[in-house]
Amino acid sequence: MHRDVTWGGRVRTVATMQGTRRRLTTAAVLAATATLALTGCAQGGHEIGEGVTTKLNGSAFHGQLRITATKVERVTDAALDQFGLTSRGDDTYLAHFTVHRVSGTFDPDAVGDLANDAWGLRADDRLQAGPDLAASDRNSVLQDACPFDRAAITEALRSDGTADVCAVLLAPADSTVEAVTYLRAAPVDQGPEGDATITWRAA
């Protein structure tokens, strides 16, 4: 079964895994990926592993979240196939984050502000937002390797817990990834909500 989704600015066909098609275990899939140490010299930003307290721009949530980028992984073609996705020439990465509610009452509608296209990669001085990838586009293997569970995120952020969020991101083929970004935020220490990008970079 196939479904068209927007993927890197173009319409892409996403194959969903069904029936008895062989699936790799999560451990095997992750073994097929290579953890990326971010390189390059993105201007400004925060270190990977550093939390940033932020407001969400134009969101149903009127409070503050603390977002931490924890890891970025390059995805091999073999792993991508098990995820039921086809990059069609782009380099594909999984970017992992944790999100914690600092203040405010989290609205379930605000989960959309943490969706796949809210994140991006900066590669070779070009910032590219993630493709529009709904939770329903994630088969069980991708969900295990790159979790995005709306109910779990809402439950955690309503109870001062910490939620794991992962995005599937693209970069031009053979480019050097410099940073990972969150695109729909205004860091609290930089004034009120507005168009802003939080950037996590390597040292």
Side-chain angles (χ1 to χ4, degrees):
M1 179 177 179
H2 292 76
R3 179 181 176 205
D4 288 339
V5 298
T6 302
W7 190 255
R10 299 183 294 278
V11 175
R12 305 298 180 93
T13 299
V14 175
T16 57
M17 299 177 67
Q18 296 188 2
T20 58
R21 180 180 174 187
R22 182 177 61 86
R23 296 178 178 178
L24 295 179
T25 64
T26 300
V29 169
L30 293 180
T33 65
T35 299
L36 172 73
L38 292 181
T39 59
C41 187
Q43 295 298 315
H46 304 271
E47 304 295 342
I48 293 290
E50 181 180 353
V52 181
T53 299
T54 177
K55 299 175 182 179
L56 302 185
N57 183 32
S59 177
F61 170 61
H62 301 290
Q64 297 178 1
L65 297 180
R66 187 167 183 83
I67 303 176
T68 305
T70 59
K71 182 172 62 174
V72 181
E73 302 171 294
R74 172 75 182 275
V75 178
T76 66
D77 289 342
L80 197 63
D81 179 65
Q82 291 297 317
F83 295 159
L85 302 173
T86 303
S87 68
R88 300 196 180 176
D90 296 309
D91 291 340
T92 307
Y93 297 84
L94 306 184
H96 299 264
F97 306 86
T98 60
V99 183
H100 180 84
R101 184 178 68 86
V102 175
S103 64
T105 302
F106 191 80
D107 188 319
D109 290 341
V111 173
D113 292 303
L114 303 174
N116 205 78
D117 59 354
W119 311 92
L121 285 179
R122 181 175 294 281
D124 291 352
D125 293 325
R126 172 187 171 188
L127 178 60
Q128 183 167 325
D132 181 11
L133 184 68
S136 60
D137 292 323
R138 300 180 188 232
N139 63 28
S140 61
V141 182
L142 178 55
Q143 178 64 24
D144 286 344
C146 189
F148 185 86
D149 184 326
R150 296 179 67 94
I153 293 169
T154 299
E155 181 179 359
L157 297 182
R158 279 181 159 177
S159 61
D160 292 334
T162 297
D164 293 322
V165 177
C166 180
V168 180
L169 302 177
L170 304 175
D174 301 320
S175 60
T176 298
V177 172
E178 301 155 356
V180 63
T181 63
Y182 179 66
L183 304 172
R184 301 182 188 172
V188 173
D189 60 0
Q190 294 183 17
E193 295 94 334
D195 293 334
T197 298
I198 301 174
T199 300
W200 291 268
R201 54 170 174 73

